[in-house]
Amino acid sequence: MRSPTRHKIHSVLYSSTLDTFLAVCQHRSFTKAAKVLGLSQSSVSQNILKLEESLGVSLFDREVRPIMLKPEAIMLKEQLEKQFSGIEETVDLIREKNELKPIVKIGVVDSLSSNIAPALIRILTEQTRQISVLSGISPNIANDLINKEVDIIITSDSLDGVDGLSRYFLCQEPHLLILPKSSHLVGETITWQQLISCEIPMVRYSRRSASGRIAETHFSRMRMTVPSKIEADTTRVVLSMIADGLGWGLSSPLCLMQCPDMLNDIHFQPAPQPSYSRELYVVTRKNEYQPLIEIILAECAHQLKATLLPEIQENFPWLIDDIVIDKHALLLYENEKKGC
């Protein structure tokens, strides 16, 4: 007996008349064929009569029970089943190929989401059955990965303390000092102590964010205490407060490129030495999605080099040499281009 799935394919690929004919052949009964097909017995009889009229032959001996297939019916049945078998194999191959494509959810840190997400979706569409790209601050998307709500993340938090993950370095970028244009420190070479002691406080990224934690770690290593007076989660809010003269801040080029419309409202210069940097990683659960990881690394490295670096160089030419993109990821992209 044909399975419901096979019957569904059969009904789509063949006319209802041929479908009725094959059902009558299989069950040797108009009544049983009608029941299986969900038709009335009269509809089955009419379909068979139509087929017989179009062929100009009688296909069944209706005088016996169960009905008998005449030689013409046997020949037609064998040809249809042969053709259907070949078509069904093709349908199975199509289904299998599609089923092997994964459904993937990717979490992307805010500072890359608007620039990287469209390119990732474009290139991964052919590799996946369904793809979702979610953005957020690094700790949030990291928790999503740990809780299996996303499959892959691009993050500034390498999650070193979490077992069962695979981590792939993508790039490293320095932090720079952001000042109100009215600040007396504009253009001056200053120390961290001078900066911390100036008349306006630091506008820091929230400690819930990876950027906030990175800054906190840096100050802790230097055994410096920076008063915590103003915090914000997003780069746009941090920049707007600095533009209003409420304080100074630290950020990275990729974070700043989220807000190109605000760059003329504030002043940027190298941070005091020793400075510190931010690293970005592609992280997934161990040994999962390896082919996709290479595609993601390659595309992210390409977008950084081809799209974001020129913009960064235009706005912050003095720090371009401090940005490092993983050479292996760039090589993956070149190899993929050659393979196209």
Side-chain angles (χ1 to χ4, degrees):
M1 181 179 292
R2 284 175 291 162
S3 69
T5 302
R6 287 170 63 93
H7 172 64
K8 186 175 181 181
I9 298 169
H10 192 289
S11 299
V12 168
L13 295 178
Y14 287 90
S15 70
S16 60
T17 300
L18 291 180
D19 200 31
T20 301
F21 166 74
L22 289 172
V24 172
C25 290
Q26 181 180 355
H27 296 285
R28 304 293 178 91
S29 165
F30 283 34
T31 303
K32 289 181 181 177
K35 187 175 181 181
V36 168
L37 296 172
L39 301 173
S40 66
Q41 186 172 337
S42 63
S43 294
V44 170
S45 298
Q46 288 170 14
N47 281 339
I48 296 301
L49 282 173
K50 263 193 240 174
L51 181 59
E52 289 176 327
E53 288 172 2
S54 66
L55 296 175
V57 295
S58 174
L59 296 171
F60 299 100
D61 183 351
R62 296 169 173 79
E63 299 298 323
V64 295
R65 292 291 182 273
I67 60 175
M68 296 292 294
L69 279 66
K70 292 186 176 181
E72 294 83 359
I74 293 172
M75 185 185 303
L76 178 59
K77 174 178 174 290
E78 288 175 350
Q79 286 298 317
L80 288 174
E81 288 181 340
K82 184 178 178 181
Q83 290 179 24
F84 179 71
S85 178
I87 293 172
E88 190 173 67
E89 285 178 11
T90 302
V91 170
D92 286 342
L93 285 173
I94 292 170
R95 278 184 166 162
E96 182 180 351
K97 184 178 178 182
N98 193 53
E99 287 296 326
L100 289 174
K101 291 181 178 180
I103 297 174
V104 179
K105 293 182 179 180
I106 302 176
V108 183
V109 67
D110 281 332
S111 54
L112 283 182
S113 59
S114 60
N115 295 297
I116 295 293
L120 283 181
I121 290 176
R122 184 170 57 250
I123 200 165
L124 291 176
T125 298
E126 292 299 317
Q127 313 295 327
T128 59
R129 189 150 36 112
Q130 180 181 322
I131 181 167
S132 302
V133 177
L134 314 172
S135 64
I137 59 176
S138 285
N140 289 354
I141 60 174
N143 286 333
D144 288 343
L145 178 67
I146 293 168
N147 295 330
K148 298 187 176 181
E149 293 176 13
V150 297
D151 306 298
I152 301 166
I153 60 173
I154 303 171
T155 174
S156 56
D157 185 351
S158 61
L159 299 172
D160 287 333
V162 181
D163 294 331
L165 300 178
S166 295
R167 303 162 182 84
Y168 307 87
F169 174 71
L170 176 60
C171 70
Q172 176 180 293
E173 58 173 345
H175 280 73
L176 61 163
L177 175 61
I178 314 168
L179 294 167
K181 284 190 169 182
S182 59
S183 172
H184 70 281
L185 299 177
V186 168
E188 298 292 328
T189 300
I190 55 176
T191 65
W192 284 111
Q193 197 58 51
Q194 288 174 310
L195 184 60
I196 293 168
S197 303
C198 76
E199 72 279 6
I200 53 176
M202 179 183 182
V203 179
R204 65 167 77 221
Y205 284 96
S206 165
R207 293 174 205 189
R208 295 194 312 122
S209 69
S211 292
R213 294 176 187 179
I214 292 170
E216 192 69 23
T217 299
H218 176 68
F219 293 135
S220 177
R221 284 174 181 166
M222 294 196 302
R223 298 185 178 181
M224 291 192 314
T225 301
V226 181
S228 179
K229 191 170 184 180
I230 307 173
E231 291 188 0
D233 271 348
T234 69
T235 297
R236 182 166 291 276
V237 175
V238 168
L239 295 186
S240 65
M241 288 193 279
I242 296 173
D244 283 344
L246 297 178
W248 56 271
L250 298 159
S251 192
S252 68
L254 290 175
C255 287
L256 294 171
M257 295 315 298
Q258 296 177 85
C259 309
D261 56 307
M262 302 185 70
L263 299 185
N264 290 329
D265 300 332
I266 37 191
H267 174 78
F268 304 95
Q269 65 187 57
Q273 294 299 317
S275 187
Y276 65 103
S277 59
R278 179 179 84 142
E279 295 180 343
L280 292 175
Y281 296 85
V282 177
V283 184
T284 187
R285 289 180 287 277
K286 203 162 191 70
N287 301 323
E288 290 187 8
Y289 299 103
Q290 187 59 42
L292 289 185
I293 290 294
E294 293 191 349
I295 294 172
I296 291 169
L297 279 170
E299 186 61 26
C300 286
H302 169 65
Q303 291 298 322
L304 285 168
K305 182 179 180 181
T307 304
L308 291 171
L309 274 191
E311 294 178 7
I312 291 170
Q313 185 162 20
E314 182 179 342
N315 289 280
F316 319 112
W318 34 271
L319 58 68
I320 197 69
D321 291 339
D322 295 327
I323 297 176
V324 178
I325 302 174
D326 184 58
K327 291 181 180 179
H328 174 66
L330 289 170
L331 183 61
L332 283 174
Y333 179 79
E334 293 302 321
N335 290 339
E336 284 184 7
K337 270 186 70 178
K338 290 175 184 176
C340 290

mmCIF file of all heavy atoms in Angstrom, residues 104-109 112-114 116-122 124 130-136 141 150 152 154 296:
data_model
loop_
_atom_site.group_PDB
_atom_site.id
_atom_site.type_symbol
_atom_site.label_atom_id
_atom_site.label_comp_id
_atom_site.label_asym_id
_atom_site.label_seq_id
_atom_site.Cartn_x
_atom_site.Cartn_y
_atom_site.Cartn_z
ATOM 1 N N VAL A 104 19.711 27.562 11.004
ATOM 2 C CA VAL A 104 20.787 28.161 11.802
ATOM 3 C C VAL A 104 20.360 29.523 12.345
ATOM 4 O O VAL A 104 19.795 30.343 11.622
ATOM 5 C CB VAL A 104 22.076 28.335 10.951
ATOM 6 C CG1 VAL A 104 23.179 28.981 11.780
ATOM 7 C CG2 VAL A 104 22.544 26.989 10.423
ATOM 8 N N LYS A 105 20.665 29.728 13.627
ATOM 9 C CA LYS A 105 20.460 31.031 14.256
ATOM 10 C C LYS A 105 21.821 31.583 14.672
ATOM 11 O O LYS A 105 22.574 30.897 15.357
ATOM 12 C CB LYS A 105 19.547 30.911 15.480
ATOM 13 C CG LYS A 105 18.116 30.531 15.133
ATOM 14 C CD LYS A 105 17.254 30.488 16.386
ATOM 15 C CE LYS A 105 15.803 30.130 16.046
ATOM 16 N NZ LYS A 105 14.967 30.081 17.261
ATOM 17 N N ILE A 106 22.105 32.811 14.231
ATOM 18 C CA ILE A 106 23.395 33.439 14.504
ATOM 19 C C ILE A 106 23.177 34.691 15.341
ATOM 20 O O ILE A 106 22.341 35.527 15.014
ATOM 21 C CB ILE A 106 24.121 33.803 13.197
ATOM 22 C CG1 ILE A 106 24.318 32.552 12.337
ATOM 23 C CG2 ILE A 106 25.461 34.459 13.477
ATOM 24 C CD1 ILE A 106 24.949 32.835 10.987
ATOM 25 N N GLY A 107 23.928 34.814 16.416
ATOM 26 C CA GLY A 107 23.906 36.028 17.230
ATOM 27 C C GLY A 107 25.116 36.884 16.882
ATOM 28 O O GLY A 107 26.248 36.387 16.867
ATOM 29 N N VAL A 108 24.892 38.153 16.596
ATOM 30 C CA VAL A 108 25.974 39.051 16.181
ATOM 31 C C VAL A 108 26.028 40.242 17.136
ATOM 32 O O VAL A 108 25.001 40.880 17.398
ATOM 33 C CB VAL A 108 25.774 39.549 14.732
ATOM 34 C CG1 VAL A 108 26.955 40.424 14.305
ATOM 35 C CG2 VAL A 108 25.611 38.376 13.773
ATOM 36 N N VAL A 109 27.215 40.532 17.634
ATOM 37 C CA VAL A 109 27.381 41.671 18.531
ATOM 38 C C VAL A 109 26.939 42.945 17.811
ATOM 39 O O VAL A 109 27.119 43.098 16.597
ATOM 40 C CB VAL A 109 28.850 41.752 19.001
ATOM 41 C CG1 VAL A 109 29.790 42.088 17.860
ATOM 42 C CG2 VAL A 109 28.999 42.747 20.137
ATOM 43 N N LEU A 112 28.774 44.920 14.967
ATOM 44 C CA LEU A 112 28.945 44.348 13.630
ATOM 45 C C LEU A 112 27.634 44.067 12.921
ATOM 46 O O LEU A 112 27.624 43.831 11.714
ATOM 47 C CB LEU A 112 29.736 43.033 13.712
ATOM 48 C CG LEU A 112 31.242 43.114 13.908
ATOM 49 C CD1 LEU A 112 31.843 41.718 13.917
ATOM 50 C CD2 LEU A 112 31.891 43.946 12.825
ATOM 51 N N SER A 113 26.530 44.075 13.655
ATOM 52 C CA SER A 113 25.283 43.551 13.102
ATOM 53 C C SER A 113 24.824 44.277 11.844
ATOM 54 O O SER A 113 24.446 43.647 10.853
ATOM 55 C CB SER A 113 24.178 43.576 14.163
ATOM 56 O OG SER A 113 23.961 44.896 14.626
ATOM 57 N N SER A 114 24.858 45.608 11.852
ATOM 58 C CA SER A 114 24.322 46.326 10.696
ATOM 59 C C SER A 114 25.205 46.184 9.468
ATOM 60 O O SER A 114 24.722 46.263 8.333
ATOM 61 C CB SER A 114 24.145 47.817 11.041
ATOM 62 O OG SER A 114 25.389 48.392 11.388
ATOM 63 N N ILE A 116 27.600 43.489 9.005
ATOM 64 C CA ILE A 116 27.911 42.097 8.669
ATOM 65 C C ILE A 116 26.664 41.269 8.363
ATOM 66 O O ILE A 116 26.677 40.401 7.488
ATOM 67 C CB ILE A 116 28.687 41.430 9.835
ATOM 68 C CG1 ILE A 116 30.040 42.114 10.006
ATOM 69 C CG2 ILE A 116 28.861 39.947 9.613
ATOM 70 C CD1 ILE A 116 31.003 41.921 8.883
ATOM 71 N N ALA A 117 25.564 41.535 9.082
ATOM 72 C CA ALA A 117 24.370 40.682 8.966
ATOM 73 C C ALA A 117 23.851 40.539 7.536
ATOM 74 O O ALA A 117 23.580 39.417 7.096
ATOM 75 C CB ALA A 117 23.268 41.189 9.893
ATOM 76 N N PRO A 118 23.679 41.624 6.763
ATOM 77 C CA PRO A 118 23.162 41.443 5.402
ATOM 78 C C PRO A 118 24.057 40.546 4.539
ATOM 79 O O PRO A 118 23.562 39.710 3.788
ATOM 80 C CB PRO A 118 23.123 42.878 4.857
ATOM 81 C CG PRO A 118 23.045 43.742 6.065
ATOM 82 C CD PRO A 118 23.860 43.041 7.102
ATOM 83 N N ALA A 119 25.378 40.731 4.683
ATOM 84 C CA ALA A 119 26.308 39.913 3.897
ATOM 85 C C ALA A 119 26.233 38.442 4.315
ATOM 86 O O ALA A 119 26.284 37.540 3.473
ATOM 87 C CB ALA A 119 27.736 40.430 4.058
ATOM 88 N N LEU A 120 26.103 38.189 5.618
ATOM 89 C CA LEU A 120 26.005 36.805 6.097
ATOM 90 C C LEU A 120 24.744 36.126 5.579
ATOM 91 O O LEU A 120 24.772 34.977 5.134
ATOM 92 C CB LEU A 120 26.014 36.771 7.626
ATOM 93 C CG LEU A 120 27.357 36.970 8.319
ATOM 94 C CD1 LEU A 120 27.176 36.888 9.825
ATOM 95 C CD2 LEU A 120 28.379 35.951 7.858
ATOM 96 N N ILE A 121 23.628 36.834 5.666
ATOM 97 C CA ILE A 121 22.371 36.255 5.189
ATOM 98 C C ILE A 121 22.463 35.946 3.698
ATOM 99 O O ILE A 121 22.040 34.880 3.239
ATOM 100 C CB ILE A 121 21.194 37.196 5.489
ATOM 101 C CG1 ILE A 121 20.941 37.233 7.000
ATOM 102 C CG2 ILE A 121 19.935 36.747 4.748
ATOM 103 C CD1 ILE A 121 19.870 38.207 7.424
ATOM 104 N N ARG A 122 23.034 36.873 2.953
ATOM 105 C CA ARG A 122 23.148 36.675 1.504
ATOM 106 C C ARG A 122 23.962 35.430 1.172
ATOM 107 O O ARG A 122 23.572 34.612 0.337
ATOM 108 C CB ARG A 122 23.776 37.916 0.871
ATOM 109 C CG ARG A 122 23.863 37.850 -0.646
ATOM 110 C CD ARG A 122 24.262 39.191 -1.248
ATOM 111 N NE ARG A 122 25.525 39.682 -0.712
ATOM 112 C CZ ARG A 122 25.629 40.724 0.103
ATOM 113 N NH1 ARG A 122 24.554 41.381 0.482
ATOM 114 N NH2 ARG A 122 26.805 41.121 0.542
ATOM 115 N N LEU A 124 24.784 32.859 3.207
ATOM 116 C CA LEU A 124 24.378 31.614 3.867
ATOM 117 C C LEU A 124 23.015 31.102 3.404
ATOM 118 O O LEU A 124 22.626 29.999 3.778
ATOM 119 C CB LEU A 124 24.354 31.816 5.386
ATOM 120 C CG LEU A 124 25.718 32.009 6.045
ATOM 121 C CD1 LEU A 124 25.545 32.291 7.530
ATOM 122 C CD2 LEU A 124 26.611 30.798 5.850
ATOM 123 N N GLN A 130 17.066 27.505 6.668
ATOM 124 C CA GLN A 130 16.502 28.734 7.242
ATOM 125 C C GLN A 130 17.584 29.393 8.073
ATOM 126 O O GLN A 130 18.349 28.722 8.757
ATOM 127 C CB GLN A 130 15.297 28.407 8.129
ATOM 128 C CG GLN A 130 14.640 29.617 8.759
ATOM 129 C CD GLN A 130 13.465 29.202 9.650
ATOM 130 O OE1 GLN A 130 12.719 28.292 9.337
ATOM 131 N NE2 GLN A 130 13.325 29.873 10.773
ATOM 132 N N ILE A 131 17.676 30.709 7.999
ATOM 133 C CA ILE A 131 18.709 31.413 8.778
ATOM 134 C C ILE A 131 18.096 32.620 9.475
ATOM 135 O O ILE A 131 17.278 33.339 8.900
ATOM 136 C CB ILE A 131 19.889 31.840 7.880
ATOM 137 C CG1 ILE A 131 20.957 32.546 8.720
ATOM 138 C CG2 ILE A 131 19.441 32.710 6.725
ATOM 139 C CD1 ILE A 131 22.270 32.712 8.010
ATOM 140 N N SER A 132 18.503 32.812 10.739
ATOM 141 C CA SER A 132 18.085 33.979 11.515
ATOM 142 C C SER A 132 19.342 34.651 12.051
ATOM 143 O O SER A 132 20.263 33.979 12.510
ATOM 144 C CB SER A 132 17.197 33.575 12.692
ATOM 145 O OG SER A 132 16.059 32.885 12.253
ATOM 146 N N VAL A 133 19.384 35.976 11.982
ATOM 147 C CA VAL A 133 20.496 36.729 12.554
ATOM 148 C C VAL A 133 19.929 37.664 13.618
ATOM 149 O O VAL A 133 19.083 38.505 13.326
ATOM 150 C CB VAL A 133 21.250 37.525 11.482
ATOM 151 C CG1 VAL A 133 22.358 38.353 12.129
ATOM 152 C CG2 VAL A 133 21.855 36.585 10.443
ATOM 153 N N LEU A 134 20.379 37.476 14.856
ATOM 154 C CA LEU A 134 19.921 38.266 15.990
ATOM 155 C C LEU A 134 21.080 39.114 16.481
ATOM 156 O O LEU A 134 22.227 38.673 16.468
ATOM 157 C CB LEU A 134 19.426 37.344 17.110
ATOM 158 C CG LEU A 134 18.496 36.198 16.673
ATOM 159 C CD1 LEU A 134 18.236 35.261 17.837
ATOM 160 C CD2 LEU A 134 17.189 36.767 16.146
ATOM 161 N N SER A 135 20.804 40.328 16.936
ATOM 162 C CA SER A 135 21.875 41.189 17.427
ATOM 163 C C SER A 135 21.668 41.493 18.901
ATOM 164 O O SER A 135 20.568 41.375 19.441
ATOM 165 C CB SER A 135 21.914 42.494 16.619
ATOM 166 O OG SER A 135 20.728 43.231 16.804
ATOM 167 N N GLY A 136 22.763 41.902 19.551
ATOM 168 C CA GLY A 136 22.686 42.245 20.966
ATOM 169 C C GLY A 136 24.073 42.471 21.525
ATOM 170 O O GLY A 136 25.081 42.342 20.828
ATOM 171 N N ILE A 141 24.118 37.605 23.821
ATOM 172 C CA ILE A 141 24.183 36.582 22.788
ATOM 173 C C ILE A 141 25.011 35.386 23.259
ATOM 174 O O ILE A 141 24.783 34.260 22.812
ATOM 175 C CB ILE A 141 24.710 37.143 21.445
ATOM 176 C CG1 ILE A 141 26.111 37.716 21.583
ATOM 177 C CG2 ILE A 141 23.759 38.185 20.888
ATOM 178 C CD1 ILE A 141 26.715 38.156 20.250
ATOM 179 N N VAL A 150 20.712 30.170 20.221
ATOM 180 C CA VAL A 150 21.377 30.424 18.944
ATOM 181 C C VAL A 150 22.454 29.366 18.768
ATOM 182 O O VAL A 150 22.852 28.688 19.723
ATOM 183 C CB VAL A 150 21.995 31.844 18.859
ATOM 184 C CG1 VAL A 150 20.923 32.917 18.952
ATOM 185 C CG2 VAL A 150 23.060 32.050 19.921
ATOM 186 N N ILE A 152 25.468 29.920 16.629
ATOM 187 C CA ILE A 152 26.778 30.520 16.370
ATOM 188 C C ILE A 152 26.699 31.981 16.815
ATOM 189 O O ILE A 152 25.673 32.627 16.604
ATOM 190 C CB ILE A 152 27.135 30.460 14.869
ATOM 191 C CG1 ILE A 152 27.143 29.009 14.371
ATOM 192 C CG2 ILE A 152 28.482 31.120 14.591
ATOM 193 C CD1 ILE A 152 27.143 28.875 12.857
ATOM 194 N N ILE A 154 28.965 35.841 16.957
ATOM 195 C CA ILE A 154 30.131 36.671 16.667
ATOM 196 C C ILE A 154 30.188 37.674 17.801
ATOM 197 O O ILE A 154 29.280 38.503 17.960
ATOM 198 C CB ILE A 154 29.997 37.366 15.306
ATOM 199 C CG1 ILE A 154 29.793 36.319 14.206
ATOM 200 C CG2 ILE A 154 31.236 38.205 15.008
ATOM 201 C CD1 ILE A 154 29.429 36.901 12.856
ATOM 202 N N ILE A 296 31.484 31.739 7.439
ATOM 203 C CA ILE A 296 31.235 32.940 8.250
ATOM 204 C C ILE A 296 32.532 33.693 8.504
ATOM 205 O O ILE A 296 32.604 34.915 8.356
ATOM 206 C CB ILE A 296 30.541 32.551 9.567
ATOM 207 C CG1 ILE A 296 29.113 32.076 9.290
ATOM 208 C CG2 ILE A 296 30.530 33.732 10.546
ATOM 209 C CD1 ILE A 296 28.438 31.424 10.477
#
